Amino acid sequence: MAHSVQPFRASYRSKISKYYNVYLHGAFVFFVGVCAIIFFASKIHNFKLVDTLAFVFGILFFNVCEYYIHKSFGHRKNPVALLFYKRHTGDHHSFFSDDEMYFDQAQDWRVILFPPWLVILIAILLFGIWSGVSILNQNMASLFSMAVMGSFLCYEIFHVCAHVPPGYWFTELPWIRMVRRLHTIHHRRHLMADRNFNILFPMMDRILKTIVQK
């Protein structure tokens, strides 16, 4: 018999503050993220085609980080990230299973989206990287930072799309369908700690042979 997530959902929802607003949560994340991207974009001058290599590297860098952070901290009890483990394996994977993948109400996005403070932390870290690398090449530093922040925002969007109930037009787009299929497999309880860690595209899952497609 499949494990029902409904008792956990009821318990989780009962603990959400009455002051919590998922729309403000999402708007804050994207406001900070877009502002950071605009800042980095404003620092690009005398653009050269070779500078785009930094943008590509930023996307690949995020993919690698996404994979290892998800695997090593989201599904392994690591002393430096117990809060992340509890939120991801403890909450997210208790709220959604491969048999019950879709949210029922907007407030359920709280267990899908990262906490609002994370986008601030990423922006600060990227500003630090940008400040250092700009000494060598400001355009590349800016494009790298834009790619990482843009990838984070796309991660948030695609992760929500993976848990949206079927019937919306965008759920039938080929890329979204792939994301939804692979992420549903990841939510199988016997596979979640070992397979399908990438959300945006399964580059590292393919390289390290941790992808399961059906």
Side-chain angles (χ1 to χ4, degrees):
M1 178 181 293
H3 173 79
S4 176
V5 299
Q6 294 305 322
F8 181 85
R9 289 188 177 192
S11 174
Y12 185 89
R13 288 168 182 152
S14 71
K15 297 173 184 176
I16 297 177
S17 170
K18 65 179 181 179
Y19 300 109
Y20 173 75
N21 187 303
V22 69
Y23 301 109
L24 289 177
H25 181 165
F28 176 81
V29 170
F30 279 86
F31 175 77
V32 173
V34 170
C35 283
I37 290 172
I38 291 173
F39 169 80
F40 294 127
S42 71
K43 302 301 178 181
I44 297 174
H45 302 289
N46 300 318
F47 174 79
K48 299 177 182 177
L49 188 59
V50 69
D51 295 338
T52 57
L53 292 175
F55 190 84
V56 174
F57 179 71
I59 293 173
L60 299 179
F61 175 79
F62 182 88
N63 192 275
V64 173
C65 291
E66 171 197 2
Y67 180 93
Y68 281 108
I69 291 173
H70 188 175
K71 179 180 180 179
S72 301
F73 299 120
H75 290 284
R76 305 286 190 277
K77 285 187 177 180
N78 192 304
V80 302
L82 287 178
L83 183 62
F84 179 48
Y85 176 83
K86 179 183 181 302
R87 181 178 176 86
H88 187 72
T89 292
D91 292 342
H92 184 72
H93 278 271
S94 296
F95 200 97
F96 297 107
S97 69
D98 61 312
D99 292 313
E100 297 179 80
M101 276 292 289
Y102 310 123
F103 60 80
D104 298 319
Q105 51 190 271
Q107 294 295 82
D108 294 346
W109 291 20
R110 185 181 185 277
V111 79
I112 301 175
L113 298 173
F114 282 114
W117 56 261
L118 183 60
V119 70
I120 298 176
L121 178 60
I122 292 174
I124 292 172
L125 290 174
L126 287 176
F127 181 76
I129 293 172
W130 177 84
S131 298
V133 179
S134 287
I135 298 173
L136 302 175
N137 189 309
Q138 185 165 293
N139 284 358
M140 285 192 167
S142 300
L143 286 163
F144 170 83
S145 300
M146 290 171 62
V148 173
M149 181 58 81
S151 294
F152 173 75
L153 297 182
C154 286
Y155 179 100
E156 291 283 62
I157 293 171
F158 278 56
H159 195 196
V160 170
C161 286
H163 293 285
V164 168
Y168 294 92
W169 65 268
F170 56 85
T171 62
E172 294 304 315
L173 295 174
W175 195 352
I176 300 297
R177 288 175 60 187
M178 177 196 70
V179 168
R180 287 163 66 85
R181 184 181 76 254
L182 296 181
H183 196 56
T184 297
I185 293 170
H186 172 69
H187 272 269
R188 293 175 186 169
R189 293 187 177 276
H190 66 291
L191 294 179
M192 67 180 188
D194 300 298
R195 297 290 186 267
N196 295 8
F197 296 108
N198 285 132
I199 290 282
L200 292 179
F201 59 97
M203 182 188 78
M204 288 301 295
D205 276 313
R206 289 187 182 279
I207 291 174
L208 297 178
K209 303 184 186 309
T210 53
I211 189 169
V212 174
Q213 301 192 65
K214 60 182 178 179

